Amino acid sequence: MLAALVVAFVLAGTDGLTGAAIGSIATVVVLAVGSWAMFWIAAKSPALSLPAAVGVFTLSGMVLFVVLLVVSQAGGDAVVRPAAFSVMVLTVAWTTTFAFLVRRERIPLFDLPGADS
């Protein structure tokens, strides 16, 4: 997140820093709330995990899109481009980190036939 802010400031000045800060904060909040919601849903009803994941992550994308729409209406290109860039970079970084952490958990994804015997 800090790297996105520094790059935006160097490339676009204070407008870029403002846009990157808005995009970064919105992304971290939306993805953190979505992850928390998924952990909560999975703990309550594992069978609903997949449909909930589709819904939560679709809603997360829509919320971030609305944030970028609001930023684009409020500011010019110097604000919206760094905001969009920081949203993309942080989403990729969050998803990649999450995938690596889940991969290390060694959660079985399916049961082998006859494993109960």
Side-chain angles (χ1 to χ4, degrees):
M1 183 165 134
L2 186 60
L5 296 173
V6 170
V7 169
F9 180 71
V10 168
L11 295 178
T14 56
D15 286 342
L17 180 63
T18 302
I22 292 168
S24 297
I25 291 168
T27 303
V28 168
V29 168
V30 166
L31 293 177
V33 168
S35 295
W36 173 82
M38 282 308 308
F39 286 125
W40 185 80
I41 291 167
K44 296 292 181 189
S45 176
L48 288 178
S49 294
L50 184 59
V54 172
V56 166
F57 293 120
T58 300
L59 182 62
S60 297
M62 289 170 37
V63 168
L64 289 173
F65 179 72
V66 169
V67 167
L68 290 176
L69 263 171
V70 170
V71 169
S72 72
Q73 297 298 319
D77 280 347
V79 176
V80 75
R81 287 177 189 239
F85 182 74
S86 67
V87 166
M88 289 186 299
V89 168
L90 284 173
T91 300
V92 168
W94 184 285
T95 305
T96 303
T97 302
F98 200 79
F100 279 116
L101 292 175
V102 168
R103 177 81 171 120
R104 296 178 66 103
E105 287 291 319
R106 298 195 174 270
I107 300 169
L109 299 176
F110 59 88
D111 291 329
L112 294 174
D116 292 336
S117 47

